[in-house]
Amino acid sequence: MNAEVKDNEINGNIPVLDVQYGNVWTNIDKTQLEKIGINPGDSIAFSISYKGELKYEAVVPFTTTFSAVPVDAELAYMNSLLKLSLAINQGDFAKVHGVSQGADWNIKVKKR
């Protein structure tokens, strides 16, 4: 599945986890974020679901560095593949929130 932009929201999925750190990597790229007006320094609202069942939702800052938030705080950032990712500064986002990877794991993102 490719991420899609529709009505100021991006619908994507979670193809892989950064298992070494517990970060959640999406298939949403920078150009898609820009289409709905999301840039570093903004806050994003997101929801994660598994097979249509909501698993977690929050509003987090979209940053360029982990040091922009306190230890144990959640954030969104662009990973080394230039895809949107979710993390906890010095924590394991996937484990804390019970998130995994695969085609059945979906994420919706919009500017807050």
Side-chain angles (χ1 to χ4, degrees):
M1 168 184 163
N2 291 323
E4 296 178 342
V5 178
K6 184 178 179 183
D7 300 327
N8 291 319
E9 183 175 80
I10 305 170
N11 294 303
N13 74 349
I14 301 168
V16 67
L17 298 178
D18 179 3
V19 293
Q20 184 175 0
Y21 300 106
N23 300 338
V24 172
W25 287 17
T26 75
N27 65 338
I28 298 170
D29 64 39
K30 181 180 176 184
T31 59
Q32 291 167 318
L33 293 171
E34 290 171 345
K35 282 183 185 178
I36 64 169
I38 296 176
N39 295 292
D42 292 335
S43 291
I44 62 169
F46 70 92
S47 61
I48 296 174
S49 60
Y50 177 68
K51 294 185 177 181
E53 180 183 334
L54 181 65
K55 293 295 183 182
Y56 185 67
E57 62 185 344
V59 175
V60 298
F62 178 44
T63 72
T64 57
T65 176
F66 279 60
S67 65
V69 300
V71 171
D72 296 326
E74 296 179 357
L75 66 136
Y77 70 99
M78 299 305 291
N79 66 29
S80 59
L81 301 177
L82 301 179
K83 301 290 185 180
L84 181 68
S85 298
L86 302 169
I88 296 174
N89 189 2
Q90 297 186 28
D92 188 323
F93 189 102
K95 185 176 181 180
V96 167
H97 299 300
V99 175
S100 193
Q101 64 189 19
D104 291 328
W105 284 92
N106 299 304
I107 183 167
K108 291 183 180 185
V109 174
K110 60 184 173 182
K111 185 173 182 175
R112 178 73 174 178

